[in-house]
Amino acid sequence: MDVRSFMDLDCWKVAREFRNRRSLLAKSFPVEEKYGLTNQIKRSSRSVTANIAEGYGRFHHQENIQFCRMSRGSLTETLDHLTVALDEEYISEDQFLDFKTELERCLKVLNGYINYLRKLKSGTK
């Protein structure tokens, strides 16, 4: 695959889909959550793609890896926010499990990219 920008990365594409679905979900929350949970879900899910993009723009593989690790942290932060949505009964158990499965797919693809970068860094690729 020819990668010319961060937008060509599979991990960014999968994370973008995840981000867009979380944004739609957040719009369904009660108005009183506008500056609370809604904002937190949007910010953490946006951080996933933003960190992948920023890492891609860095010169060294190690810096790129570090930003990808921050993306992983943002994914797990989003999962915590989704548990709050579940506990507050804004989403069902089935929705939560679907979101968790989607999040795990994002983590898997992102971890694959991190492993690829590690191999490039070590010269074994």
Side-chain angles (χ1 to χ4, degrees), residues 31-45:
V31 169
E32 64 266 16
E33 289 291 358
K34 182 176 183 179
Y35 298 107
L37 189 58
T38 297
N39 187 43
Q40 289 175 310
I41 287 175
K42 285 183 176 182
R43 288 178 58 216
S44 63
S45 62

Side-chain angles (χ1 to χ4, degrees), residues 51-52 54-69 113-125:
N51 279 307
I52 292 168
E54 186 167 355
Y56 182 84
R58 297 298 173 131
F59 185 73
H60 296 286
H61 297 304
Q62 187 58 45
E63 286 180 292
N64 194 346
I65 291 167
Q66 187 57 35
F67 277 93
C68 288
R69 288 179 178 152
Y113 182 55
I114 291 169
N115 288 334
Y116 168 77
L117 292 171
R118 283 185 183 140
K119 288 177 184 175
L120 283 179
K121 180 183 164 207
S122 69
T124 59
K125 178 77 177 154

Side-chain angles (χ1 to χ4, degrees), residues 72-88:
R72 284 193 318 207
S74 294
L75 278 168
T76 55
E77 177 186 354
T78 303
L79 179 60
D80 182 65
H81 296 319
L82 292 171
T83 63
V84 172
L86 175 65
D87 294 345
E88 295 292 326

Side-chain angles (χ1 to χ4, degrees), residues 4-58:
R4 295 183 185 171
S5 95
F6 66 88
M7 291 185 286
D8 296 326
L9 298 172
D10 288 340
C11 61
W12 184 85
K13 291 175 187 177
V14 171
R16 179 183 182 198
E17 190 176 308
F18 178 81
R19 178 196 70 207
N20 289 339
R21 288 176 41 88
R22 294 309 72 81
S23 185
L24 283 174
L25 170 71
K27 289 177 184 178
S28 71
F29 291 168
V31 169
E32 64 266 16
E33 289 291 358
K34 182 176 183 179
Y35 298 107
L37 189 58
T38 297
N39 187 43
Q40 289 175 310
I41 287 175
K42 285 183 176 182
R43 288 178 58 216
S44 63
S45 62
R46 287 174 180 172
S47 179
V48 177
T49 53
N51 279 307
I52 292 168
E54 186 167 355
Y56 182 84
R58 297 298 173 131

